[in-house]
Amino acid sequence: MTMGTKTWHLALVIVLMMILNLSTISRVDGEQQVPCYFIFGDSLLDNGNNNALQSKVKANYLPYGIDFPAGPTGRFSNGRNIADITAELLGFVEYIPSFATARGREILKGVNYASGGAGIRDETGQNLGTVISFSKQLLNHKTTVSRIVSLLGDEKSTEKNLSKCIYTVGIGSNDYINNYLMPQFYPTSRLHMPDQYAALLIEQYSQQLKTLYSYGARKVALFGIGPIGCTPGNIATYDTNGSLCVDFINKAVQEFNIRLKTLVDNLNHNLQDAKFIYVNVYGISSANNGGILTCIPFSPPCPVRALEVFYDATHPTEAANLVVAGRSYVSLLPSDTHPIDIRQLARL
């Protein structure tokens, strides 16, 4: 066992103990900490929105979902994703439904709009077929808000209710993986240096988040991009030049993350009746890839999934999701979240 693997296993044990304690507290309290939870993002948070789309980005088949109670549902992991675990920590008894399946009054507890392959830029991921971009996810949320107004009877009640809810957004990885790093499909890497591209993404992201604010969001957690240069897929595709990871990719996404943290500060300054937080996924995530698990449809996956970081070439295992979700809910280190964590956000 390498030092990196030992460090990952120790971190996992610590976080699992923390989550077990927090989950017990949530059950004892017997109440949801917030009335509803809305989720936006990509495949790291998707729970089935791509299932009926003409898209190559799907996970509604085995061995995805092999450790999830309902089996393959469209979650890009062996079990729960970050949104599922966060919902549990917030005290929800049931997982938040996908926009594709949410019906009737169940939308009052929240909706998951995330779509595998989606990005901040509308063209991102189109090389994979149909995906639901962040802009389209916001339009879907606008539809949901209208339905909530009908259910609650008036806009004022809806506004008051939504202001207490938690919103998480995890987007941006595909703007690199399925855009900037694919010059055969997209011109962005020829037109912009990494710092310029990051600035463009943040500029568009800022406008989108202000749209989300206009739809009633007041407690928003923004997940940064993880070290995607350390995914098995990228390590296999690019020359690491003797490094453990593809450094030029990690440096590029850090340009985005630095600007995202600054954006959080700016949003909090300019929208003072709201609170935005930054989740440092890059810092939380281990650079150790923990081995490569190949997710071939209907083939048996690695048997010791609880000790692995990646379930396929890009997506994390439930164990890795537990680490990110746990440390975003309650910061293990001061650098995990900024300026507060999700549990503190829920209490505001």
Side-chain angles (χ1 to χ4, degrees):
M1 183 182 289
T2 66
M3 183 60 69
T5 304
K6 288 180 180 178
T7 302
W8 156 250
H9 290 167
L10 178 60
L12 177 60
V13 169
I14 292 172
V15 173
L16 287 176
M17 290 175 66
M18 179 179 71
I19 290 174
L20 180 60
N21 183 51
L22 291 171
S23 297
T24 301
I25 291 171
S26 295
R27 286 194 296 270
V28 170
D29 289 346
E31 292 183 1
Q32 293 174 196
Q33 296 163 37
V34 291
C36 45
Y37 174 31
F38 295 99
I39 302 136
F40 304 81
D42 53 32
S43 56
L44 298 179
L45 299 169
D46 189 355
N47 65 344
N49 285 305
N50 279 18
N51 290 355
L53 300 182
Q54 294 296 315
S55 175
K56 296 178 183 178
V57 195
K58 295 186 181 184
N60 56 340
Y61 56 84
L62 289 170
Y64 292 109
I66 193 168
D67 299 316
F68 192 75
T73 57
R75 290 166 168 83
F76 291 77
S77 186
N78 58 301
R80 294 167 293 171
N81 63 26
I82 293 169
D84 297 324
I85 299 161
T86 302
E88 291 177 347
L89 292 171
L90 287 169
F92 286 87
V93 176
E94 297 178 347
Y95 297 124
I96 305 303
S98 66
F99 179 75
T101 61
R103 298 291 182 271
R105 297 189 65 84
E106 68 178 341
I107 65 172
L108 293 176
K109 72 175 182 180
V111 176
N112 186 329
Y113 305 94
S115 170
I120 294 167
R121 295 176 67 92
D122 291 342
E123 81 273 12
T124 289
Q126 289 184 1
N127 55 297
L128 302 168
T130 303
V131 300
I132 308 168
S133 69
F134 185 36
S135 294
K136 290 180 181 177
Q137 292 177 36
L138 289 171
L139 289 174
N140 289 340
H141 183 56
K142 185 179 181 181
T143 299
T144 296
V145 172
S146 296
R147 292 172 178 168
I148 292 174
V149 171
S150 297
L151 289 170
L152 296 183
D154 62 83
E155 292 185 2
K156 189 173 183 179
S157 297
T158 300
E159 182 180 326
K160 183 178 179 180
N161 189 69
L162 294 179
S163 70
K164 301 174 183 177
C165 302
I166 290 288
Y167 297 72
T168 58
V169 188
I171 201 85
S173 294
N174 286 301
D175 292 294
Y176 289 91
I177 297 171
N178 287 298
N179 191 320
Y180 195 71
L181 297 174
M182 284 197 162
Q184 67 272 37
F185 292 109
Y186 306 98
T188 45
S189 61
R190 296 190 296 272
L191 297 173
H192 310 290
M193 296 297 290
D195 60 331
Q196 296 171 331
Y197 185 62
L200 284 173
L201 288 177
I202 291 297
E203 182 180 356
Q204 183 173 355
Y205 198 15
S206 175
Q207 296 306 312
Q208 292 167 329
L209 291 170
K210 288 173 184 176
T211 297
L212 181 60
Y213 170 86
S214 74
Y215 295 158
R218 295 296 182 270
K219 300 181 179 184
V220 187
L222 305 178
F223 284 71
I225 302 175
I228 58 176
C230 300
T231 63
N234 280 330
I235 290 173
T237 301
Y238 300 95
D239 186 359
T240 63
N241 294 313
S243 176
L244 291 174
C245 301
V246 186
D247 292 337
F248 84 89
I249 297 178
N250 283 343
K251 288 177 181 177
V253 301
Q254 279 292 63
E255 294 281 358
F256 175 89
N257 288 332
I258 290 168
R259 288 166 173 79
L260 180 58
K261 188 175 179 181
T262 300
L263 175 61
V264 163
D265 290 335
N266 291 338
L267 289 169
N268 286 332
H269 177 75
N270 296 323
L271 305 173
Q272 294 191 6
D273 63 333
K275 192 70 173 181
F276 291 79
I277 70 169
Y278 168 70
V279 177
N280 182 16
V281 178
Y282 192 102
I284 294 171
S285 301
S286 171
N288 170 48
N289 69 22
I292 301 174
L293 302 180
T294 303
C295 242
I296 301 171
F298 310 110
S299 297
C302 174
V304 194
R305 297 178 288 279
L307 299 180
E308 302 290 349
V309 178
F310 289 100
Y311 194 55
D312 61 15
T314 305
H315 302 102
T317 58
E318 180 181 81
N321 287 332
L322 279 164
V323 173
V324 175
R327 289 175 62 174
S328 62
Y329 183 72
V330 175
S331 297
L332 191 62
L333 299 174
S335 60
D336 286 350
T337 61
H338 171 81
I340 58 177
D341 55 36
I342 292 177
R343 181 169 67 165
Q344 293 169 315
L345 184 66
R347 289 175 173 177
L348 294 178

